[in-house]
Amino acid sequence: MSKELVSSIDRAPARSLFNALGITDEELRKPLIGIVCSYNEIVPGHMNLDKIAEAVKLGVAEAGGTPILFPAIAVCDGIAMGHIGMKYSLVTRDLIADSTEAMAIAHQFDGLVMIPNCDKNVPGLLMAAARVNIPTTFVSGGPMLAGHVGGKKRSLSSMFEAVGEHAAGTLSEEGVKEYECNVCPTCGSCSGMYTANSMNCLTEALGMGLQGNGTIPAVYSERIKLAKHAGMAVMNLVEKNIRPRDIITKDAILNALTVDMALGCSTNSMLHIPAIAHEIGFDFDIRMANEISEKTPNLCHLAPAGPTYMEDLNEAGGVYAVMNQLAKAGLLHTDCMTITGNTIGENIKDVANRNPEVIRPMDNPYTKTGGLAVLSGNIALDGSVVKRSAVVPEMLVHEGPARVFESEEDAIEAILGGKIKEGDVVVIRYEGPKGGPGMREMLNPTSAIAGMGLGSSVALITDGRFSGASRGASIGHISPEAAVGGNIALIEEGDIIKIDIPNYSINVDLTDEELEKRRAKWQPREPKVKTGYLARYAKMVTSGAKGAILQ
């Protein structure tokens, strides 16, 4: 692509501007590689990305390319959580994809290296890679090391739950402060199998990231070496003309979903995988998750589902060790191409599981079914999503009265105020992609439920979504959402909600006739936001069941 800029006299004006950048004629004759870096000083997972970018640039230059840096934005979900800022989290995924597309094509790069780390950057840049379709590699900033409180490993989800414990009177203010100062001890994406780490691990499963991209901790020097190799790898892809759509295929998407099930990834992957699939023309139905779940065991219980963390998964052999076991069981498409220039099967064939307590063997899984489940029924005609691997056994089947709230804030006030009782089903609506707008994460209410000691007796359902740090019977992405007249809008206080995760169902105990009677009285609500990007987003976004893609 950059040859357009150096091959003819009519491109002299462009070359004059490269002169203004201090780029030499020798550099212009090499492939121009865009380094897309989401470094900033507000997201802990991104504060080290300047070092990663420098290492990538060295790798590109070493392999014969000319690296040129440009930025991508990032929102820290933990800082944005629980207030209006969270409306601006998911929506950045499409800003990232669109702006990267614009920069890559406008400047005629020959290849790209994507440097994301946190929740929306990884899928946003994967969407851009598939859309632009020039040789591309990924290298993330890596996960945070776990913190330590009371002699145990802890993470950000522990911090949110500590707030609930304080509200319940079981943790002092000094105890909360101890958590505050110790749960996030280093830079990196938060240390459990939350959304950022889920998506970084899935770059390996897709073939777009090198081995260790999802698991090597941010503070390890091995991460710098990985970044250099990612820079070298893109030059090999340029030489061989291997492009993202040669790698991100339908089979690769299904591989990612299979690995998702084995790892116990965040429910947000069920927004991002469909959006990435959309970019390659694959009409992904979220109910495919149940079919794959039925044959894919859950092999890992990383926080918040269990007591292990990303550093433990890395030491056990990482994502490739998990994939090796899945491949031996015939559950992966091993002939898929990757950014190494080799197939998935070639990449993973010699990677062993070094800790069967962190990565369970296939004959001793945590569960015989995968980490996620898609539930359908008269509440969610188009589906909803739950992280089944993070639900305690006694809540897999649950029936209880609806406690209905029109916003996240109202629900949190009731939970922390002691108004939610054992057996209740908290319903939070008008928080979907259109109704929010922006489909806020609900880590605050789920953590408050857990902190108040109700995690094994109270369910929460919403047309919003959950952080990867949420655990318990937390069912999100209910589609159609309340704002477009989905049946969640018709639920009334005290209605009996029936949840059956093993049988993939979620229903309100009402007849079709009663639902239609209520629908006749329902009126659409005025938009919560009428100006700016959120207003435009609300008009363009599809449902959570479609990946909240823009039309």
Side-chain angles (χ1 to χ4, degrees), residues 50 70 89-90 139 152 154 159 175 185 216 264-265 341 374 386 419 533:
D50 55 340
F70 66 89
S89 172
L90 177 60
V139 58
K152 294 182 179 180
R154 304 289 186 178
M159 180 71 256
I216 298 170
C265 289
V374 174
V386 62
K419 296 178 181 178
Y533 178 56

Side-chain angles (χ1 to χ4, degrees), residues 64-105:
T66 298
I68 301 176
L69 184 73
F70 66 89
I73 64 169
V75 164
C76 178
D77 282 17
I79 294 174
M81 195 73 66
H83 56 86
I84 191 173
M86 181 46 68
K87 294 178 186 288
Y88 285 89
S89 172
L90 177 60
V91 305
T92 64
R93 184 189 70 184
D94 297 274
L95 284 174
I96 292 161
D98 293 349
S99 59
T100 302
E101 173 195 357
M103 289 291 288
I105 295 176

